[in-house]
């Protein structure tokens, strides 16, 4: 009425930014733990795992023996055993190796002449 046309209703749950890829033959690892891949696109991945998964993770996607994607990702949503990760390729992740007890016990390496922590101790700890 009055010039308005009936248009097809838009369902936002059907909207996809990235096209879906075939998941047959894909292996996905979240922080080194293999998970079942349910959905995959250039923007993210939906996986299922009986174990709890981290909020921020490094995700590796393999097709056969070839790695096709290795990127950081953050949890977009989680329901039951399923988790949706959004890829964040610009996110930088840094892992710092844990310090062994032997390094913690040696006082001569950690202190400089003024009693503060020496620069070499910090470099050794961060593995720079």
């Amino acid at each position: 009425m009055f010039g308005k046309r009936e248009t097809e209703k838009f369902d936002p749950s059907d909207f996809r930014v990235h096209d879906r890829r075939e998941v047959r033959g894909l292996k996905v690892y979240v922080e080194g733990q293999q998970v079942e891949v349910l959905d995959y696109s250039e923007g993210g991945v939906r996986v299922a795992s009986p174990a709890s998964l981290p909020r921020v993770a490094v995700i590796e996607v393999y097709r056969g023996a070839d790695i096709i994607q290795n990127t950081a990702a953050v949890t977009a949503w989680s329901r039951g055993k399923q988790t949706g990760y959004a890829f964040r390729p610009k996110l930088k992740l840094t892992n710092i190796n844990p310090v062994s007890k032997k390094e913690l016990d040696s006082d001569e390496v950690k202190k400089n002449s003024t009693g503060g922590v020496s620069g070499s101790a910090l470099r050794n700890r961060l593995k720079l």
Side-chain angles (χ1 to χ4, degrees), residues 6 9 11-12 19 23 28 38 51 56 59 64 73 94 98 107 118 124:
E6 280 295 317
K9 296 251 182 189
D11 184 9
D19 293 332
V23 297
V28 175
L38 303 171
V56 178
I59 295 184
T94 304
D107 286 333
S118 68
N124 290 342

Side-chain angles (χ1 to χ4, degrees), residues 71-115:
T71 187
V74 296
T75 300
W77 58 269
S78 182
R79 271 187 299 276
K81 295 183 180 191
Q82 293 186 12
T83 303
Y85 280 102
F87 295 144
R88 298 291 186 255
K90 294 182 181 176
L91 184 66
K92 303 273 190 265
L93 295 178
T94 304
N95 292 326
I96 299 176
N97 292 335
V99 180
S100 67
K101 277 232 180 239
K102 188 175 182 180
E103 290 177 11
L104 288 175
D105 292 339
S106 64
D107 286 333
E108 72 244 10
V109 177
K110 292 189 310 179
K111 306 270 182 179
N112 61 16
S113 61
T114 61

